[in-house]
mmCIF file of all heavy atoms in Angstrom:
data_model
loop_
_atom_site.group_PDB
_atom_site.id
_atom_site.type_symbol
_atom_site.label_atom_id
_atom_site.label_comp_id
_atom_site.label_asym_id
_atom_site.label_seq_id
_atom_site.Cartn_x
_atom_site.Cartn_y
_atom_site.Cartn_z
ATOM 1 N N GLY A 30 -111.447 -59.353 -72.006
ATOM 2 C CA GLY A 30 -112.344 -58.761 -72.984
ATOM 3 C C GLY A 30 -113.702 -58.506 -72.388
ATOM 4 O O GLY A 30 -113.881 -58.577 -71.168
ATOM 5 N N SER A 31 -114.640 -58.211 -73.270
ATOM 6 C CA SER A 31 -116.010 -57.939 -72.861
ATOM 7 C C SER A 31 -116.912 -59.069 -73.331
ATOM 8 O O SER A 31 -116.876 -59.419 -74.520
ATOM 9 C CB SER A 31 -116.475 -56.605 -73.453
ATOM 10 O OG SER A 31 -115.715 -55.536 -72.953
ATOM 11 N N VAL A 32 -117.684 -59.613 -72.420
ATOM 12 C CA VAL A 32 -118.606 -60.697 -72.749
ATOM 13 C C VAL A 32 -119.931 -60.450 -72.044
ATOM 14 O O VAL A 32 -119.998 -59.693 -71.080
ATOM 15 C CB VAL A 32 -118.064 -62.079 -72.350
ATOM 16 C CG1 VAL A 32 -116.801 -62.407 -73.116
ATOM 17 C CG2 VAL A 32 -117.812 -62.146 -70.844
ATOM 18 N N GLN A 33 -120.939 -61.128 -72.523
ATOM 19 C CA GLN A 33 -122.229 -61.077 -71.844
ATOM 20 C C GLN A 33 -122.273 -62.128 -70.745
ATOM 21 O O GLN A 33 -121.533 -63.123 -70.778
ATOM 22 C CB GLN A 33 -123.357 -61.300 -72.846
ATOM 23 C CG GLN A 33 -123.550 -60.142 -73.818
ATOM 24 C CD GLN A 33 -124.824 -60.270 -74.622
ATOM 25 O OE1 GLN A 33 -125.240 -61.379 -74.954
ATOM 26 N NE2 GLN A 33 -125.441 -59.141 -74.940
ATOM 27 N N ALA A 34 -123.133 -61.892 -69.805
ATOM 28 C CA ALA A 34 -123.313 -62.857 -68.726
ATOM 29 C C ALA A 34 -123.609 -64.239 -69.307
ATOM 30 O O ALA A 34 -124.360 -64.365 -70.268
ATOM 31 C CB ALA A 34 -124.444 -62.416 -67.807
ATOM 32 N N GLY A 35 -122.970 -65.234 -68.710
ATOM 33 C CA GLY A 35 -123.100 -66.592 -69.209
ATOM 34 C C GLY A 35 -122.008 -66.983 -70.180
ATOM 35 O O GLY A 35 -121.876 -68.164 -70.524
ATOM 36 N N GLY A 36 -121.246 -66.022 -70.609
ATOM 37 C CA GLY A 36 -120.181 -66.294 -71.567
ATOM 38 C C GLY A 36 -118.933 -66.833 -70.919
ATOM 39 O O GLY A 36 -118.875 -67.060 -69.700
ATOM 40 N N LEU A 106 -119.789 -66.656 -66.862
ATOM 41 C CA LEU A 106 -119.373 -65.393 -66.263
ATOM 42 C C LEU A 106 -120.564 -64.563 -65.820
ATOM 43 O O LEU A 106 -121.637 -64.593 -66.451
ATOM 44 C CB LEU A 106 -118.499 -64.609 -67.243
ATOM 45 C CG LEU A 106 -117.067 -65.128 -67.357
ATOM 46 C CD1 LEU A 106 -116.419 -64.661 -68.648
ATOM 47 C CD2 LEU A 106 -116.246 -64.699 -66.152
ATOM 48 N N LYS A 107 -120.343 -63.847 -64.738
ATOM 49 C CA LYS A 107 -121.387 -63.010 -64.149
ATOM 50 C C LYS A 107 -120.900 -61.563 -64.111
ATOM 51 O O LYS A 107 -119.692 -61.318 -64.089
ATOM 52 C CB LYS A 107 -121.686 -63.484 -62.725
ATOM 53 C CG LYS A 107 -122.094 -64.946 -62.635
ATOM 54 C CD LYS A 107 -122.276 -65.367 -61.188
ATOM 55 C CE LYS A 107 -122.672 -66.833 -61.090
ATOM 56 N NZ LYS A 107 -122.882 -67.248 -59.680
ATOM 57 N N PRO A 108 -121.817 -60.608 -64.069
ATOM 58 C CA PRO A 108 -121.384 -59.197 -64.003
ATOM 59 C C PRO A 108 -120.451 -58.931 -62.832
ATOM 60 O O PRO A 108 -119.541 -58.101 -62.949
ATOM 61 C CB PRO A 108 -122.712 -58.447 -63.861
ATOM 62 C CG PRO A 108 -123.704 -59.309 -64.567
ATOM 63 C CD PRO A 108 -123.271 -60.725 -64.262
ATOM 64 N N GLU A 109 -120.629 -59.634 -61.735
ATOM 65 C CA GLU A 109 -119.766 -59.421 -60.569
ATOM 66 C C GLU A 109 -118.350 -59.960 -60.774
ATOM 67 O O GLU A 109 -117.483 -59.749 -59.928
ATOM 68 C CB GLU A 109 -120.383 -60.030 -59.306
ATOM 69 C CG GLU A 109 -120.800 -61.478 -59.440
ATOM 70 C CD GLU A 109 -122.277 -61.615 -59.779
ATOM 71 O OE1 GLU A 109 -122.792 -60.827 -60.603
ATOM 72 O OE2 GLU A 109 -122.909 -62.541 -59.212
ATOM 73 N N THR A 111 -116.611 -58.864 -63.199
ATOM 74 C CA THR A 111 -115.943 -57.743 -63.853
ATOM 75 C C THR A 111 -114.819 -57.210 -62.970
ATOM 76 O O THR A 111 -115.042 -56.863 -61.808
ATOM 77 C CB THR A 111 -116.943 -56.632 -64.163
ATOM 78 O OG1 THR A 111 -117.898 -57.108 -65.122
ATOM 79 C CG2 THR A 111 -116.237 -55.405 -64.713
ATOM 80 N N VAL A 142 -111.435 -57.746 -67.605
ATOM 81 C CA VAL A 142 -112.576 -58.601 -67.941
ATOM 82 C C VAL A 142 -113.840 -57.827 -67.578
ATOM 83 O O VAL A 142 -113.992 -57.373 -66.446
ATOM 84 C CB VAL A 142 -112.531 -59.932 -67.162
ATOM 85 C CG1 VAL A 142 -113.828 -60.708 -67.352
ATOM 86 C CG2 VAL A 142 -111.337 -60.762 -67.616
ATOM 87 N N THR A 143 -114.705 -57.670 -68.557
ATOM 88 C CA THR A 143 -115.964 -56.954 -68.347
ATOM 89 C C THR A 143 -117.118 -57.854 -68.746
ATOM 90 O O THR A 143 -117.149 -58.350 -69.878
ATOM 91 C CB THR A 143 -115.999 -55.656 -69.168
ATOM 92 O OG1 THR A 143 -114.884 -54.837 -68.822
ATOM 93 C CG2 THR A 143 -117.290 -54.894 -68.894
ATOM 94 N N VAL A 144 -118.038 -58.062 -67.817
ATOM 95 C CA VAL A 144 -119.179 -58.927 -68.069
ATOM 96 C C VAL A 144 -120.447 -58.085 -67.962
ATOM 97 O O VAL A 144 -120.713 -57.484 -66.919
ATOM 98 C CB VAL A 144 -119.236 -60.093 -67.070
ATOM 99 C CG1 VAL A 144 -120.378 -61.042 -67.433
ATOM 100 C CG2 VAL A 144 -117.912 -60.834 -67.039
ATOM 101 N N SER A 145 -121.206 -58.051 -69.022
ATOM 102 C CA SER A 145 -122.421 -57.253 -69.041
ATOM 103 C C SER A 145 -123.641 -58.157 -68.836
ATOM 104 O O SER A 145 -123.646 -59.319 -69.234
ATOM 105 C CB SER A 145 -122.547 -56.499 -70.356
ATOM 106 O OG SER A 145 -122.522 -57.400 -71.446
ATOM 107 N N SER A 146 -124.651 -57.579 -68.233
ATOM 108 C CA SER A 146 -125.865 -58.361 -67.947
ATOM 109 C C SER A 146 -126.837 -58.324 -69.110
ATOM 110 O O SER A 146 -126.676 -57.584 -70.061
ATOM 111 C CB SER A 146 -126.540 -57.809 -66.690
ATOM 112 O OG SER A 146 -126.840 -56.452 -66.864
#
Side-chain angles (χ1 to χ4, degrees):
S31 296
V32 297
Q33 290 191 326
L106 283 160
K107 303 176 181 181
E109 52 264 41
T111 295
V142 171
T143 303
V144 185
S145 57
S146 58

